[in-house]
Amino acid sequence: MSENLQREKWGSKIGFVLAAAGSAIGLGNIWKFPYVAGQNGGAAFFIIYIFCVILIGLPVIIAEIILGRTAQKNPVGAFKKLSDSKFWPWVGAMGVFAGFIILSFYSVVAGWSVGYVYESATGVFYNFNSAQSAAEHFNHLTKNVTWGIGMLAIFILMTMFFVYAGVQKGIEKGSKIMMPLLFILLIIVMIRGITLEGSDEGLAFIFHPDWSKVTPKTFLEALGQAFFSLSLGMGAMLTYGSYMSRNDNVPKSSLEIVVLDTLVAVIAGVAIFTAVFATGQNAAQGPGLIFHTLPIVFTKMPGGYFVGIIFFILLTIAALTSAISLLEVVTAYFVDEKNWSRHKAVLVFGSLAFLVGIPSVLSFNIIENYKIFGMNFFDVANYLSSNIMLPLGGLLIAIFVGNVWGIDKVLQELKQGSDKLFTNYSWIVSLWVVLIKYVSPILILFVLLQSIGVF
Ligand code: PHE
């Protein structure tokens, strides 16, 4: 069909893997994973996390990508094409909506990171001598409406730039430059961390499992983290999969994306906690770890001025390649289904994400006391999209691929490009079928019910 002839494609296999890894690797790995692991028993949390990634993350990412590759469409169009029921396209629509909402508040935090590149370059952190005063500086900045909105605008404009330029010329090209750069910067920060005197305490904190901190809640925390970190449940992987060609190897690429994502989370944990312990700061800071504690950590270590700048640049890159995938989902929907041009979709939805992001900026100042169910606007947007819509989307995607689409058809599609896996390791394929049909949906349902407070 002519529409498919015109549809954009990745220029190379590595381009796809880097773009998808770029989507996965983000604030979830560098900001959230270290502090959540820190609060939940370090290595013990990590072991549980790995199980979640293998039993649910990997099976679902394969399901999403194969959906996209088969349909060559955005999330709504993909379900329309592969099912006759009116219900399934709504699952895609929920994903597009969730992606848009996540983009709006994610960009607020990413904007802080942009602002902190500047803050660290001015050397302002050297005026402080405790995490307390660094925290006050952070609060002072986030209370400033102009700063918050300005940084949000800069970050969204950067995101729009890449999506506007197209799949190959924008997203793929950008990922091919930014992802290797991110790995290099991260490794520099990690090496600086482990070569500090006293870093072994930080390593012990991460690699020594403390099972006493593990509760039933830890399992749910780990699964939620795996979902968010792998960009699952809202069609980002589906959309990126839709630009693949039919002979690309889906299981192999999925494995590569998952390994890269997990590796970056661990390296970020090592980089951050070796430095935090070596400079005698508090590791149990929670969400404030990056913006409250790290600025002080940098002032206390040799070469910290440059490490600080490098750190916030790499955090910005990580967030940027994730935000690009969020905007691409909405863009693909309007291009495929509403016949909009890519440029129009990016301009309209980039601007709208900025506008919807404003109340999230204001949640830290003017409207911080306006609460819905005890949460401010930022928290509500985060909670509804990350804790409800992503797991629900992931559950329905697993059900669709495992039980609705027809497993024979699914396997026939999956086999394209991964013949060797089917002939030499057919047990892996059979295992995937069991996971996607039964294990993943049941475990996700469990998390979902827990997160809405059923138990
Ligand atoms: N995976 C990204 C991160 O870890 C966040 C994200 C979620 C991106 C869902 C796209 C879709 O920061």
Side-chain angles (χ1 to χ4, degrees):
M1 279 186 304
S2 65
E3 55 172 338
N4 271 357
L5 283 180
Q6 284 164 10
R7 193 179 168 82
E8 293 184 83
K9 283 225 177 308
W10 302 111
S12 60
K13 285 193 182 113
I14 183 78
F16 164 73
V17 171
L18 288 178
S23 169
I25 297 166
L27 297 172
N29 304 61
I30 299 170
W31 165 65
K32 200 160 176 221
F33 180 83
Y35 86 75
V36 175
Q39 289 170 330
N40 286 281
F45 178 82
F46 184 58
I47 293 167
I48 298 168
Y49 179 78
I50 290 289
F51 271 98
C52 294
V53 164
I54 296 172
L55 293 180
I56 300 159
L58 191 55
V60 174
I61 202 170
I62 294 175
E64 266 204 39
I65 296 177
I66 199 67
L67 267 175
R69 196 192 67 175
T70 307
Q72 302 275 304
K73 289 272 184 209
N74 67 93
V76 176
F79 282 111
K80 266 194 200 157
K81 194 160 174 175
L82 301 174
S83 86
D84 296 325
S85 122
K86 287 226 164 50
F87 169 73
W88 293 101
W90 282 103
V91 175
M94 181 178 73
V96 174
F97 181 68
F100 176 75
I101 297 296
I102 295 175
L103 177 63
S104 75
F105 71 81
Y106 194 85
S107 300
V108 173
V109 181
W112 299 342
S113 176
V114 175
Y116 264 59
V117 174
Y118 176 79
E119 297 295 310
S120 42
T122 61
V124 66
F125 301 142
Y126 288 88
N127 300 338
F128 312 129
N129 46 26
S130 69
Q132 166 98 24
S133 45
E136 276 161 21
H137 182 65
F138 174 75
N139 291 337
H140 170 75
L141 288 172
T142 51
K143 288 240 176 304
N144 180 337
V145 176
T146 320
W147 186 81
I149 293 182
M151 294 304 144
L152 170 69
I154 294 175
F155 182 78
I156 292 208
L157 279 174
M158 295 195 316
T159 307
M160 288 165 70
F161 173 82
F162 288 97
V163 183
Y164 190 89
V167 174
Q168 234 184 72
K169 292 208 185 96
I171 304 177
E172 180 168 359
K173 212 167 157 194
S175 306
K176 276 184 163 168
I177 298 168
M178 287 191 281
M179 293 312 287
L181 184 62
L182 184 147
F183 296 132
I184 294 169
L185 297 182
L186 190 59
I187 287 170
I188 295 175
V189 180
M190 180 188 75
I191 291 176
R192 175 65 283 201
I194 46 186
T195 50
L196 287 170
E197 206 168 314
S199 64
D200 38 334
E201 251 186 275
L203 291 175
F205 179 70
I206 307 169
F207 292 114
H208 173 78
D210 179 358
W211 294 101
S212 73
K213 294 232 174 69
V214 172
T215 62
K217 219 171 165 226
T218 311
F219 289 84
L220 305 163
E221 193 87 57
L223 186 53
Q225 172 64 17
F227 243 82
F228 187 78
S229 187
L230 291 170
S231 307
L232 295 179
M234 45 68 68
M237 290 298 166
L238 187 159
T239 304
Y240 274 14
S242 76
Y243 304 124
M244 276 176 125
S245 65
R246 277 198 90 205
N247 44 27
D248 288 342
N249 190 327
V250 174
K252 182 163 168 265
S253 308
S254 306
L255 184 66
E256 288 166 356
I257 297 161
V258 168
V259 168
L260 284 175
D261 186 67
T262 310
L263 213 57
V264 167
V266 175
I267 297 179
V270 170
I272 291 172
F273 285 119
T274 48
V276 167
F277 276 91
T279 54
Q281 296 298 311
N282 176 10
Q285 259 287 326
L289 191 64
I290 280 200
F291 295 104
H292 299 176
T293 312
L294 283 191
I296 293 301
V297 167
F298 296 137
T299 64
K300 288 192 189 296
M301 63 198 224
Y305 172 75
F306 295 103
V307 180
I309 299 175
I310 291 177
F311 180 82
F312 287 107
I313 291 179
L314 87 84
L315 185 65
T316 303
I317 292 179
L320 182 58
T321 49
S322 298
I324 287 171
S325 72
L326 291 164
L327 183 57
E328 177 59 25
V329 173
V330 190
T331 303
Y333 169 70
F334 279 86
V335 170
D336 289 346
E337 304 302 307
K338 307 284 173 202
N339 275 321
W340 284 27
S341 73
R342 164 172 291 274
H343 290 176
K344 178 178 165 190
V346 171
L347 292 176
V348 169
F349 286 95
S351 314
L352 280 177
F354 167 70
L355 291 179
V356 178
I358 290 177
S360 283
V361 172
L362 302 184
S363 301
F364 296 89
N365 37 67
I366 297 175
I367 59 168
E368 70 185 323
N369 295 323
Y370 287 84
K371 302 249 160 103
I372 317 160
F373 302 120
M375 292 185 282
N376 63 29
F377 184 88
F378 179 95
D379 296 333
V380 170
N382 182 11
Y383 181 81
L384 282 182
S385 52
S386 317
N387 294 24
I388 310 281
M389 291 190 224
L390 291 192
L392 187 59
L395 171 67
L396 292 165
I397 287 170
I399 293 178
F400 183 81
V401 172
N403 304 284
V404 177
W405 185 2
I407 204 71
D408 291 341
K409 273 191 241 164
V410 176
L411 291 179
Q412 210 181 333
E413 283 295 335
L414 202 57
K415 194 162 185 260
Q416 299 279 338
S418 59
D419 262 334
K420 276 207 198 105
L421 180 73
F422 276 70
T423 40
N424 299 342
Y425 301 97
S426 60
W427 64 272
I428 295 187
V429 178
S430 316
L431 181 63
W432 178 75
V433 172
V434 174
L435 291 174
I436 201 72
K437 257 181 176 281
Y438 310 109
V439 179
S440 308
I442 291 170
L443 290 177
I444 302 170
L445 187 64
F446 188 67
V447 179
L448 193 61
L449 293 178
Q450 197 276 341
S451 77
I452 56 175
V454 173
F455 43 76

